[in-house]
Every structure is written in structure tokens, then in C-alpha cells.
Amino acid sequence: MTLNRDLLAASGTTVKQPKLRRADGTAVRALVVDDESTLTDLLSMALRYEGWEVRTASEGRAAIQVAREFRPDVIVLDVMLPDIDGLQVLQRVRNDGHETPVLFLTAKDALDDRIAGLTAGGDDYVTKPFSLEELVARLRGLIRRSTLVVADADDPVVTVGDLQLDEDSHEVFRDGVSIELTATEFELLRYLMRNPRRVLSKAQILDRVWSYDFGGKSSVVEIYISYLRKKIDAGRPPMIHTVRGAGYMLKPASL
């Protein structure tokens, strides 16, 4: 299908919306699946402008593999694909245990496709040609209804109990007292504070804070947790807790 000018017309200036981020503070992940490269390029550009991380696929089987590896927070999925159709892609994604919100792209007159998509477990649909602004708004709506992401209303301060972290100034305070942290300690604390009362495994922490595989050297996590405890919890009710055999959790101190 050739891109319609109506789709391109909505790529102008829009009202700035609060950015959405995952609960751990990282960018929302979107997977765009369509065999029209012009369309996927345009959508990718629009979603990256939102601050999202975007991957694309032009075939159904490739989309399934990307979904397994990338673990997107939302999927834009064309019904008509060269190998297997979007309904089959959705079924396999759901069979993998992922409840990722899915927005279908359908032909303007394909009522049966729209009904089939929603019946199969799709969350929304947009017909081609479509308004780019409307599509992004619909995706934001799906994301907001998800428990995976939070709205970033331009407030850089993260607060858990009496602990505050300013993502802009890199300042940290506990009960009003300033705490000096190294860059790595700050990133580790930010990850813990973005996931309060949630157990985070050493593998998750390695992947998020150090961004690459340490080859099983999880002792680096133990070392930096120890550093943080000496600075955050020393002489105070503890906030950083070890969950034996599972990982670490930060929560407001019990007074």
C-alpha cells in the first residue's frame, strides 16, 4: 500500500505531552511491524521523538523473534504481512506469555480484519491512511493503561520514604542530609528507587546499571550494594534489604 499524504500531514508541530517512561526509569520500548519501509521509518521517527526506544520488523516471523528479545511495552502491528499475518503474530506473542498492548494497522475497508484483530486479543486499531498524531495518541493511551510505565511529568525528583534523588542535579538526600555518591552508586540507587518494594535480581541489576554481561561476576553487585548501605543506611533505619536467594529491595524504613 502506498503511503497517503494524510498520514504525512500530521507530522508537524503537536502539543508537548509529559514523557512516558518505564517504571525503572528507562525509555518505553515500541516494536513497529509493517512491510512498508517508508511507514516504519516515519513511525520510528515519531516515536523516537517521544523519547521511546524503537525496533522494527517487516515480516511476521522476524517480529516474533524481535518481541522475544526486545520485550516491547507496545506493538504496532500490520494485519497484512508477507509471510504470516498479524493475527498469527499476536497469537504467538500471547503464547509466549507476553500481555504487551497491541495496536493493529488495517486497510480502511477491512472491517473483518478489525473485528478479527480485537477478537484475537488486540487492544486497538487504526485504519490506513491514518493521522500520525492520532496513532501516537492512541499508543500513549495504551501505555498509560499499562502498569509497566509511568508518566514523567518533568519532575526529576524521585522520593522513597525520607530518601530523595534528583536525576538532574545528581543530588541525594536522606532525611534532608546530603549524601555524596559516585556515578555508579547513583545509577544503582536510581534503579532501586525507581522500583520500590520490588525484588531485583543481581542479573537484572547488572543488565540495567552496567549495561553488559559481567560473565557471571555478580560479586560487583554485592560490592556496590555494600557501598550504598554504608552511605544510605549507616546509623539510620535500613532501606536496602537482601532477599535471600532472590536479590535486593529498597523500601521506606520501618521506624
Side-chain angles (χ1 to χ4, degrees):
M1 177 186 293
T2 302
L3 275 178
N4 188 290
R5 292 181 182 273
D6 292 342
L7 192 158
L8 296 169
S11 58
T13 303
T14 59
V15 177
K16 181 176 176 60
Q17 298 288 335
K19 289 188 179 297
L20 299 176
R21 302 185 76 76
R22 306 181 96 200
D24 64 2
T26 57
V28 170
R29 297 177 181 178
L31 171 59
V32 179
V33 186
D34 198 291
D35 60 341
E36 298 179 50
S37 60
T38 306
L39 187 149
T40 55
D41 288 347
L42 182 63
L43 282 179
S44 297
M45 179 180 66
L47 297 180
R48 289 189 178 107
Y49 181 78
E50 291 285 313
W52 299 5
E53 185 178 353
V54 184
R55 298 281 177 85
T56 64
S58 59
E59 295 183 340
R61 291 187 179 89
I64 294 167
Q65 187 60 36
V66 173
R68 288 170 177 166
E69 297 171 356
F70 183 49
R71 301 183 69 84
D73 301 304
V74 69
I75 300 175
V76 180
L77 182 58
D78 191 16
V79 172
M80 302 300 295
L81 295 169
D83 50 355
I84 60 175
D85 64 35
L87 301 180
Q88 292 175 282
V89 173
L90 173 60
Q91 182 178 26
R92 296 193 190 182
V93 168
R94 294 288 187 254
N95 288 343
D96 284 341
H98 303 315
E99 296 301 321
T100 309
V102 172
L103 181 147
F104 276 112
L105 301 179
T106 70
K108 187 173 183 178
D109 57 352
L111 177 60
D112 291 343
D113 284 347
R114 301 201 293 274
I115 294 173
L118 296 176
T119 302
D123 299 275
D124 201 352
Y125 69 87
V126 168
T127 57
K128 297 181 180 180
F130 53 82
S131 157
L132 185 59
E133 185 174 348
E134 178 189 359
L135 185 141
V136 171
R138 285 174 179 260
L139 291 178
R140 289 178 62 88
L142 291 179
I143 288 291
R144 284 182 180 280
R145 292 194 291 273
S146 169
T147 59
L148 298 175
V149 300
V150 295
D152 179 2
D154 297 325
D155 185 356
V157 178
V158 184
T159 302
V160 178
D162 62 353
L163 184 63
Q164 285 191 327
L165 178 149
D166 191 318
E167 295 181 316
D168 286 349
S169 67
H170 278 220
E171 292 178 302
V172 175
F173 296 90
R174 175 93 191 258
D175 195 23
V177 178
S178 177
I179 299 173
E180 296 294 327
L181 299 180
T182 67
T184 301
E185 290 167 350
F186 182 87
E187 287 302 320
L188 174 56
L189 181 61
R190 171 158 57 181
Y191 185 41
L192 293 171
M193 292 183 68
R194 282 290 186 180
N195 294 273
R197 299 182 184 276
R198 176 184 173 190
V199 178
L200 301 171
S201 69
K202 292 179 183 178
Q204 287 175 305
I205 294 172
L206 280 172
D207 180 66
R208 173 62 182 88
V209 177
W210 281 269
S211 300
Y212 62 91
D213 185 6
F214 261 74
K217 295 181 181 178
S218 59
S219 60
V220 71
V221 177
E222 298 171 12
I223 292 170
Y224 273 88
I225 287 289
S226 175
Y227 292 162
L228 269 188
R229 279 178 167 150
K230 290 177 182 178
K231 295 183 177 183
I232 300 297
D233 288 345
R236 305 179 179 96
M239 296 186 68
I240 302 172
H241 302 269
T242 300
V243 181
R244 190 176 300 276
Y248 301 96
M249 176 176 61
L250 182 142
K251 63 180 180 179
S254 299
L255 301 178

